[in-house]
């Protein structure tokens, strides 16, 4: 008896588990996208079938009469004439109209679900019912009576239109219809019909939907920017391509072999952007810039910054300006490539901004190179000047002493400048002229003072050994004072990170438990 009772209990448990599984499955099915589409479709179209069938019958009958009397509409039979005058004469049967939705919210939701499923045509039909017909100013100016009748039957209007035209008896566009127009605009964007999307965005914007107004504004601004940017880039690309095709290839290669003595490793030291850009702008843009009428202005403007940054052997003034022009195209192209690779939706309106950044980036880059090189020169000066003084006091002349400094000192920007100075003196420049050129290239107060002192000593025939020793002491003292100054300002500089990063963490740890205890009360 006990076994039989246990068996029944087991069967009952199995039945309950099976039934719960069925209910859960039914509930899951009822929340599936297909079930929701079916539910909202019924609510959206529940009052349309009879009206739609009547409209189809009307269209079919009018089409039959028109086909039968196509040659002469005035001589049709009286029975057909009566039907034609009552139902077809105004030509309204040829225009497809959205029927008023039973539940506009359901039509909007149905359209959103169908868009998510990728069924754009079905979604357009549902959203067209939700959005309906809006007031047409052109139609109102042409035929006021007929426009108002159509609007009362199928459309809606906004408060602004009601005030402007004195419209009465027309349903107001509720939030669900406004949202339907917004979604309709989004759907047209998916179908790449931007002009039609603007119409629906305007309808939703007039109805008080701020999102539609924003999308309208962004579309207009973005499209204009993209259009003008595309035109400029296409024109520049065509010009460069034509220049590349018609330029003498042998002449270019010969000039490249004569002028370009820089190795790839030297270029790579100055960053990836220059490394990968240089072959392109040297080949396609530099010849164009070199043939410009005002290239003398470019040389005067960029010659000294390039010399101060130590890039004279790497880039000419024309090459530097070509680098700037190339990055106007280069940065947007890289942006588009990364955007496509990562499948991101970054706004294309950033392209003009990136083009402007590309034009000004080389100026920022060369300023950083100049500052870095000047720091390197200042750090190398004490040792180099000390060694130069010792070499001169040991009996070497100025050129031999400077050659010894280049051999023994660690390679730096200052030793590079000493090498250039030695070469200039060997090819015939005076010591004063070579020192002035070095001061002009480095563009640093300490070097200017060093060169001026040597030029003054050379002009009066004084021994430069003691002068160099005093200069070395002065430079070391100046360097020590600069280090002390930077150390003194370190406390001030670290104050802001402490104030905004460390202090809140400390306060959170200390005051956090007190605040929690105050809120929760004593336990």
């Amino acid at each position: 008896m006990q076994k039989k009772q246990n068996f029944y209990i087991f069967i009952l448990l199995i039945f309950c588990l099976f039934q719960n599984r069925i209910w859960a499955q039914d509930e899951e099915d009822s929340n599936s996208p297909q079930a929701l589409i079916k539910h909202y479709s019924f609510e959206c179209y529940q009052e349309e079938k009879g009206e739609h069938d009547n409209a189809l019958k009307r269209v079919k009958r009018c089409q039959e009469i028109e086909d039968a009397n196509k040659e002469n509409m005035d001589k049709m039979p009286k029975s057909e004439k009566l039907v034609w005058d009552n139902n077809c004469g105004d030509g309204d049967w040829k225009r497809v109209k959205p029927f008023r939705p039973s539940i506009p919210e359901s039509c909007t939701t149905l359209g959103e679900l169908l868009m998510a499923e990728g069924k754009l045509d079905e979604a357009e039909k549902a959203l067209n019912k939700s959005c309906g017909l809006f007031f047409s100013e052109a139609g109102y100016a042409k035929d006021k009576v007929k426009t108002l009748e159509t609007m009362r039957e199928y459309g809606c209007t906004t408060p602004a239109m009601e005030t402007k035209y004195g419209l009465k008896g027309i349903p107001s566009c509720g939030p669900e219809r406004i949202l339907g127009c917004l979604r309709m605009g989004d759907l047209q964007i998916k179908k790449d019909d931007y002009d039609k999307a603007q119409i629906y965005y305007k309808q939703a914007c007039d109805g008080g939907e701020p999102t539609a107004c924003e999308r309208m504004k962004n579309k207009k601004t973005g499209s204009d920017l993209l259009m003008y940017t595309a035109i400029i880039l296409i024109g520049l690309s065509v010009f460069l391509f034509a220049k590349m095709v018609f330029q003498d290839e042998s002449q270019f290669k010969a000039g490249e072999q004569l002028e370009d003595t820089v190795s790839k490793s030297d270029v790579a030291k100055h960053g990836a952007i220059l490394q990968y850009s240089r072959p392109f702008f040297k080949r396609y843009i530099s010849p164009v810039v070199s043939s410009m009428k005002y290239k003398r202005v470019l040389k005067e403007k960029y010659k000294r910054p390039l010399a101060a940054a130590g890039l004279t052997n790497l880039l000419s003034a024309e090459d530097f300006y070509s680098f700037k022009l190339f990055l106007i195209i280069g940065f947007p192209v890289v942006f588009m490539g990364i955007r496509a690779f990562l499948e991101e939706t970054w706004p294309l309106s950033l392209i003009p901004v990136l083009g402007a950044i590309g034009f000004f980036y080389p100026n920022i880059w060369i300023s950083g190179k100049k500052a870095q090189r000047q720091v390197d020169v200042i750090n190398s000066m004490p040792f180099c000047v000390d060694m130069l003084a010792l070499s001169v006091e040991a009996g070497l002349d100025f050129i031999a002493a400077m050659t010894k400094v280049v051999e023994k000192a660690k390679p730096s920007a200052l030793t590079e400048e000493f090498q250039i100075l030695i070469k200039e003196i060997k090819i015939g420049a005076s010591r004063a002229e070579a020192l002035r050129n070095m001061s002009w290239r480095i563009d640093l107060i300490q070097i200017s003072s060093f060169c001026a002192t040597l030029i003054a000593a050379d002009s009066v025939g004084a021994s430069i050994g003691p002068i160099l020793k005093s200069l070395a002491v002065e430079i070391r003292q100046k360097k020590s004072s600069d280090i002390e100054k930077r150390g003194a300002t370190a406390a001030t500089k670290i104050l802001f990170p402490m104030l905004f990063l460390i202090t809140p963490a400390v306060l959170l740890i200390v005051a956090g438990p007190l605040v929690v205890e105050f809120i929760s009360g004593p336990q």
Side-chain angles (χ1 to χ4, degrees):
M1 184 69 180
Q2 183 66 29
K3 290 183 179 180
K4 192 173 182 180
Q5 187 177 2
N6 291 339
F7 176 75
Y8 288 143
I9 293 173
F10 177 74
I11 294 296
L12 181 61
L13 288 173
I14 293 295
F15 176 76
C16 291
L17 290 174
F18 183 71
Q19 187 68 24
N20 288 336
R21 177 62 181 170
I22 292 174
W23 290 342
Q25 185 67 35
D26 291 341
E27 184 177 356
E28 183 178 347
D29 291 342
S30 65
N31 291 327
S32 66
Q34 297 302 325
L36 291 174
I37 288 174
K38 185 177 180 180
H39 170 73
Y40 287 113
S41 180
F42 173 76
E43 291 185 350
C44 179
Y45 299 117
Q46 63 181 343
E47 292 179 5
E48 184 179 318
K49 189 175 187 318
E51 190 178 356
H52 188 57
D53 291 343
N54 293 333
L56 290 178
K57 290 178 183 178
R58 178 189 176 196
V59 171
K60 184 178 179 182
R61 181 59 178 155
C62 293
Q63 189 67 52
E64 289 175 353
I65 295 173
E66 187 178 54
D67 292 341
N69 302 277
K70 189 176 295 184
E71 296 181 359
N72 195 343
M73 296 291 290
D74 295 333
K75 294 183 179 181
M76 67 176 66
K78 289 185 178 181
S79 59
E80 292 184 354
K81 178 71 173 172
L82 183 62
V83 174
W84 180 266
D85 291 339
N86 292 334
N87 297 287
C88 313
D90 57 358
D92 194 52
W93 60 278
K94 292 183 179 181
R95 291 188 289 272
V96 179
K97 298 179 181 178
F99 295 92
R100 293 191 64 187
S102 303
I103 305 178
E105 298 93 332
S106 298
C107 292
T108 303
T109 307
L110 175 62
E112 292 173 342
L113 290 171
L114 290 170
M115 283 177 65
E117 292 290 317
K119 301 176 180 178
L120 299 185
D121 292 336
E122 297 180 26
E124 185 172 8
K125 180 182 176 183
L127 292 173
N128 192 39
K129 275 182 63 65
S130 175
C131 183
L133 292 176
F134 272 62
F135 181 77
S136 171
E137 297 184 27
Y140 184 77
K142 185 177 179 181
D143 191 341
K144 296 183 181 180
V145 176
K146 189 173 181 180
T147 300
L148 293 176
E149 288 179 356
T150 305
M151 292 298 295
R152 289 190 185 99
E153 186 175 358
Y154 299 110
C156 64
T157 186
T158 61
M161 286 295 181
E162 290 179 2
T163 304
K164 184 176 180 180
Y165 293 97
L167 305 177
K168 294 181 181 179
I170 301 175
S172 296
C173 300
E176 66 280 350
R177 303 193 76 161
I178 301 300
L179 182 60
C181 293
L182 174 63
R183 295 290 178 259
M184 190 70 162
D186 295 340
L187 186 142
Q188 299 304 325
I189 293 292
K190 285 180 174 289
K191 297 178 75 172
D192 296 330
D193 193 342
Y194 297 100
D195 294 333
K196 198 171 181 180
Q198 288 296 295
I199 296 173
Y200 287 105
Y201 282 149
K202 186 177 186 308
Q203 292 176 355
C205 179
D206 292 342
E209 176 57 54
T211 305
C213 301
E214 189 66 26
R215 290 181 186 174
M216 244 181 92
K217 181 176 66 176
N218 289 342
K219 171 62 181 66
K220 183 178 180 182
T221 306
S223 64
D224 291 344
L225 285 173
L226 290 176
M227 180 184 69
Y228 292 127
T229 304
I231 291 172
I232 293 171
L233 293 179
I234 290 171
L236 186 59
S237 301
V238 170
F239 174 74
L240 293 177
F241 180 76
K243 188 74 176 177
M244 175 189 68
V245 171
F246 294 110
Q247 188 178 14
D248 189 352
E249 187 70 20
S250 60
Q251 180 182 354
F252 169 76
K253 289 185 176 180
E256 188 180 40
Q257 290 176 357
L258 290 173
E259 297 177 6
D260 196 1
T261 59
V262 182
S263 64
K264 293 182 179 180
S265 59
D266 292 336
V267 179
K269 290 190 300 184
H270 297 283
I273 295 178
L274 180 65
Q275 180 183 1
Y276 295 109
S277 301
R278 190 171 183 271
F280 294 98
F281 68 75
K282 282 281 289 183
R283 173 66 181 86
Y284 303 123
I285 305 180
S286 291
V288 179
V289 175
S290 299
S291 62
M292 289 173 59
K293 183 178 180 181
Y294 300 103
K295 64 179 181 180
R296 185 185 299 274
V297 178
L298 295 178
K299 287 184 178 181
E300 294 176 357
K301 184 176 182 180
Y302 297 119
K303 189 175 180 179
R304 190 172 188 184
L306 287 169
L311 299 172
T312 306
N313 294 332
L314 192 66
L315 296 171
S316 64
E318 294 88 348
D319 291 337
F320 182 73
Y321 193 71
S322 301
F323 184 34
K324 290 164 66 70
L325 295 178
F326 175 78
L327 291 186
I328 295 176
I329 305 173
F331 276 18
V333 169
V334 173
F335 167 76
M336 292 296 294
I338 295 174
R339 182 177 182 269
F341 178 75
L342 298 179
E343 297 182 354
E344 290 288 347
T345 57
W346 297 330
L348 295 177
S349 56
L350 291 175
I351 288 178
V353 178
L354 290 172
I357 293 173
F359 182 77
F360 291 105
Y361 166 78
N363 296 82
I364 301 171
W365 170 73
I366 201 172
S367 298
K369 285 287 181 183
K370 176 182 175 181
Q372 182 181 357
R373 194 166 189 268
Q374 288 177 343
V375 170
D376 189 15
V377 169
I378 291 174
N379 292 334
S380 303
M381 276 191 73
F383 177 80
C384 290
V385 175
D386 268 341
M387 194 165 184
L388 188 62
L390 290 173
S391 299
V392 170
E393 288 187 340
L396 297 176
D397 64 350
F398 182 76
I399 300 298
M402 197 159 280
T403 304
K404 184 64 68 176
V405 171
V406 172
E407 291 176 358
K408 299 298 181 181
K410 187 185 296 184
S412 64
L414 187 58
T415 58
E416 290 177 3
E417 290 295 334
F418 282 175
Q419 288 177 338
I420 296 173
L421 184 143
I422 293 170
K423 290 178 182 178
E424 288 182 349
I425 293 176
K426 285 183 177 180
I427 63 175
S430 65
R431 185 189 303 179
E433 186 179 355
L435 286 170
R436 289 192 189 96
N437 291 338
M438 186 177 76
S439 174
W440 178 85
R441 287 193 303 270
I442 298 178
D443 192 17
L444 194 62
I445 295 176
Q446 290 87 335
I447 293 296
S448 299
S449 175
F450 170 74
C451 294
T453 303
L454 291 179
I455 292 171
D458 186 49
S459 63
V460 298
S463 176
I464 62 174
I467 296 174
L468 288 172
K469 289 184 70 175
S470 62
L471 276 175
V473 173
E474 182 182 347
I475 290 170
R476 287 188 182 279
Q477 290 176 348
K478 182 71 167 58
K479 186 176 180 182
S480 298
S481 64
D482 289 340
I483 293 173
E484 290 176 0
K485 183 179 179 181
R486 287 197 295 269
T489 58
T492 306
K493 292 179 179 179
I494 203 173
L495 178 64
F496 294 100
M498 287 185 61
L499 183 63
F500 293 106
L501 300 176
I502 300 175
T503 306
V506 173
L507 290 176
L508 184 63
I509 294 171
V510 174
L514 299 177
V515 174
V516 172
E517 183 178 355
F518 176 77
I519 294 174
S520 59
Q523 302 293 331

